[in-house]
Amino acid sequence: MADSKAQTPRDSGTFDKEKPLDFDAEKGQQSDLDGATILAPSERGVSAGSDGVTGDKEKAVAEETEQDPNIVDWDGPHDPENPMNWPEKKKWLNVAVLSILTIITPLGSSMFAPGIKEILVEFHETSSITATFLVSIYILGFAFGPLLVAPLSEMYGRAPLYNIGNILFTIFTVGTALSTNTGMLLAFRFLMGLAGSVPITIGSGSIADCMKMENRGKAMSAWALGPLLGPCIGPIAGGYLIKAAGWRWVFWLIVIIGGCLIPFAFFCLRETYAPVLLERKTARLRKETGNPNLRSKLASNKSAAETFKAAIYRPMKLLIFEPIITLMSLYVAITYGILYMLFTTFTFVYSGHYGFGVDTIGLAYLPTGIGMLIGVGVSGFLSDKIVKDRTAKGLVHRPEVRLLPYFTIPCGLLLCAGLFIYGWTVQEHVHWIVPMFGVLIFCAAIMGIMMSVQSYLLEAFLAHAASVTAALAVLRSLLGALLPLGALDLYESKLQFGWGNSLLGFIALLLVPIPFIFYVYGEKLRKKSRFNKAN
């Protein structure tokens, strides 16, 4: 039954403590004469010794599997049921479906932004905080959703959560479209964010489950286009739709699209999470053989309650006790918060300073989409290229190369430059194309940083991919939701747009060295990490 070594789970709280956290079985497996499977560090895609597990320990674990006939494992290194061995078309179909899902859910974050003034008038609201919170409360749902989604994905797999999330997202969007007051609108938008956080939380885990290391950068870029382009494309279409049919039709359109995606995702998405797939195989073999003692190689000795408890705490433990994740998350969170500060004020800036109408105001978001496309495309290309180049030279891959200091540092500086250009040209009433160019630079830079950071953290803590993504999402989304609340007050203060954006630029400037620090010292810190020694 167990004739080869199992693939270690990517982000599970159920893995054996003897298994390395940086395990990556995509390079193939090597068997000794007795049939026990041994993986060399170079085959795992990590440097020797970086996981604190010796070859003797690995061999002992493999021999234990070989000696126990009741342990169910993959049928050799080329088992077609192993997601790593799927045909490329099947892998990329999964990534394509995930990308579509992550375009739809972020549409809800800002597609109705051009209609904020209409909503305030209809519900008799005058508060500037309410105006910005109508947009940012959705992102608050993105902050809390991952704390529940990540552990559930480790217990029940990815696919069920995608399907349940799609259904709940559509239902909550109906409630938003039918809202009769500000409180009801805010409540349903928060629930939309909770349900919509599913593909954003576990999408990177699904990619890590099936994509080889040298293709992971491109796959991450394709998946990331959804949450990046959604908030940019949405307001463009939303502006014209709101003028023609009113703000409620923005949400009815999302309901229609979301409803169509429910059966599409159900039939096209495949489960990728190794522990769940092996558990299904075990259940099937128990039925076929009548042997109730069969158990999955990746099964946990913990109860479901213990597993859930460990998994639900892990994202916060990673965020608080892991310096790499803490500082990287802080960098991403601050820049993401600034991005949403710009998002929530575009309607007021371009209508007040440049006379854009309800229908054309959405065009102000176009530079953000173009900039994000550039940032994601360049980052994905360079990230995979450097991995392939190192492999061709026979160098052992280490996650830190994803940080690309010759790329992330210029991106950090360009991010600040974009803020300066945007702020001062708006304040001086320079032609609208110039501040839009500043926004394009800012968005290209922020995506270059975010993609590099997320790819690095995914590989540095590969065994906990979903939990790492959840930790990133919590801090990022909290600042994305809360920072915009003070945006209008900041710009209306003595600082105005020039010094207000300059202040944000100087804060971002202080964070520029962070990726370089971990490029140099990241490997040493990972060796000392408590998450390389325990759950």
Side-chain angles (χ1 to χ4, degrees):
M1 214 60 82
D3 48 31
S4 65
K5 185 178 175 66
Q7 182 173 347
T8 302
R10 303 288 176 177
D11 53 342
S12 171
T14 65
F15 65 92
D16 193 316
K17 292 182 181 181
E18 293 294 315
K19 298 187 182 76
L21 290 178
D22 284 327
F23 182 86
D24 197 358
E26 59 211 21
K27 293 291 184 181
Q29 296 174 316
Q30 176 183 353
S31 298
D32 63 12
L33 295 177
D34 297 326
T37 304
I38 306 170
L39 276 158
S42 61
E43 292 175 312
R44 284 185 248 122
V46 293
S47 56
S50 66
D51 48 33
V53 179
T54 64
D56 291 339
K57 286 184 179 180
E58 290 174 342
K59 186 173 181 179
V61 173
E63 289 175 345
E64 178 187 355
T65 301
E66 185 68 21
Q67 292 167 4
D68 190 342
N70 289 320
I71 293 181
V72 178
D73 199 354
W74 299 120
D75 296 331
H78 305 295
D79 187 346
E81 292 187 19
N82 185 339
M84 277 292 175
N85 298 325
W86 285 355
E88 289 300 308
K89 287 184 179 179
K90 186 175 180 180
K91 292 182 181 182
W92 283 104
L93 175 61
N94 244 41
V95 173
V97 176
L98 290 177
S99 299
I100 293 171
L101 292 181
T102 51
I103 287 177
I104 302 306
T105 55
L107 279 179
S109 68
S110 60
M111 190 173 183
F112 82 115
I116 289 178
K117 289 185 177 180
E118 284 189 13
I119 295 173
L120 295 177
V121 172
E122 181 175 335
F123 293 151
H124 308 290
E125 290 284 350
T126 57
S127 170
S128 62
I129 293 180
T130 300
T132 52
F133 202 42
L134 284 171
V135 176
S136 62
I137 193 171
Y138 188 92
I139 308 304
L140 203 58
F142 278 7
F144 293 104
L147 296 178
L148 183 63
V149 171
L152 287 177
S153 75
E154 295 174 355
M155 296 178 65
Y156 303 108
R158 323 285 194 197
L161 289 178
Y162 288 127
N163 294 321
I164 294 171
N166 290 342
I167 294 170
L168 292 178
F169 177 78
T170 303
I171 292 172
F172 294 144
T173 307
V174 171
T176 307
L178 296 174
S179 296
T180 56
N181 55 62
T182 306
M184 185 176 177
L185 181 62
L186 289 171
F188 275 110
R189 276 189 56 73
F190 175 72
L191 292 173
M192 282 178 66
L194 282 176
S197 68
V198 174
I200 293 174
T201 302
I202 59 178
S204 60
S206 295
I207 290 171
D209 290 339
C210 63
M211 279 295 177
K212 295 183 183 294
M213 181 176 59
E214 59 268 20
N215 292 326
R216 200 172 291 150
K218 290 195 293 287
M220 286 287 290
S221 297
W223 166 74
L225 287 178
L228 305 181
L229 291 181
C232 307
I233 297 172
I236 298 173
Y240 291 100
L241 183 58
I242 289 168
K243 184 175 182 180
W247 64 269
R248 293 180 190 275
W249 262 101
V250 166
F251 296 107
W252 286 123
L253 177 61
I254 296 174
V255 168
I256 294 169
I257 298 173
C260 293
L261 282 177
I262 292 173
F264 176 71
F266 181 81
F267 289 109
C268 293
L269 269 180
R270 295 290 177 266
E271 183 58 65
T272 60
Y273 192 44
V276 169
L277 293 173
L278 277 181
E279 191 58 48
R280 290 178 184 174
K281 180 179 179 180
T282 304
R284 185 179 72 246
L285 290 174
R286 286 193 196 109
K287 185 177 180 180
E288 292 175 356
T289 63
N291 182 0
N293 296 320
L294 294 178
R295 64 185 186 277
S296 166
K297 171 70 177 181
L298 302 181
S300 172
N301 294 324
K302 298 178 180 178
S303 66
E306 290 173 328
T307 300
F308 182 80
K309 184 178 178 181
I312 202 169
Y313 289 143
R314 189 180 300 116
M316 296 311 298
K317 286 182 178 179
L318 286 165
L319 187 60
I320 295 171
F321 298 112
E322 194 59 56
I324 295 176
I325 296 176
T326 303
L327 289 177
M328 287 296 198
S329 297
L330 184 65
Y331 192 1
V332 169
I334 290 176
T335 54
Y336 192 77
I338 294 172
L339 174 65
Y340 264 85
M341 286 184 73
L342 300 185
F343 274 167
T344 55
T345 57
F346 279 169
T347 300
F348 301 92
V349 169
Y350 287 100
S351 62
H353 283 64
Y354 297 104
F356 282 38
V358 175
D359 52 347
T360 56
I361 194 68
L363 296 174
Y365 293 82
L366 188 58
T368 64
I370 296 172
M372 288 176 175
L373 277 174
I374 294 172
V376 168
V378 174
S379 175
F381 171 77
L382 289 177
S383 186
D384 282 348
K385 185 177 185 301
I386 194 171
V387 171
K388 290 177 181 178
D389 288 347
R390 288 175 62 87
T391 302
K393 294 176 182 177
L395 299 175
V396 175
H397 175 70
R398 62 189 187 100
E400 283 71 26
V401 301
R402 296 285 187 185
L403 291 176
L404 305 170
Y406 62 82
F407 177 66
T408 52
I409 291 178
C411 280
L413 297 176
L414 284 173
L415 185 152
C416 303
L419 284 172
F420 296 146
I421 293 171
Y422 172 72
W424 287 106
T425 54
V426 168
Q427 180 163 320
E428 299 299 325
H429 295 275
V430 178
H431 190 276
W432 54 264
I433 195 66
V434 183
M436 285 188 178
F437 180 69
V439 171
L440 186 151
I441 293 175
F442 171 83
C443 289
I446 193 175
M447 287 309 107
I449 293 168
M450 288 179 67
M451 290 305 302
S452 298
V453 168
Q454 187 149 329
S455 295
Y456 167 59
L457 293 180
L458 182 69
E459 291 189 355
F461 299 90
L462 197 56
H464 298 309
S467 295
V468 169
T469 305
L472 269 173
V474 168
L475 193 58
R476 180 188 68 198
S477 299
L478 277 175
L479 290 190
L482 299 178
L483 277 183
L485 297 181
L488 292 176
D489 291 335
L490 172 68
Y491 294 145
E492 291 172 359
S493 68
K494 292 182 179 179
L495 295 177
Q496 298 183 333
F497 284 96
W499 282 112
N501 281 285
S502 295
L503 174 62
L504 299 176
F506 288 132
I507 293 173
L509 188 62
L510 295 175
L511 304 173
V512 171
I514 290 178
F516 179 73
I517 292 172
F518 289 119
Y519 178 80
V520 177
Y521 299 106
E523 188 171 2
K524 292 181 180 178
L525 290 173
R526 284 190 294 111
K527 288 180 182 179
K528 298 177 182 179
S529 171
R530 58 184 292 184
F531 290 94
N532 276 346
K533 300 173 183 177
N535 287 346

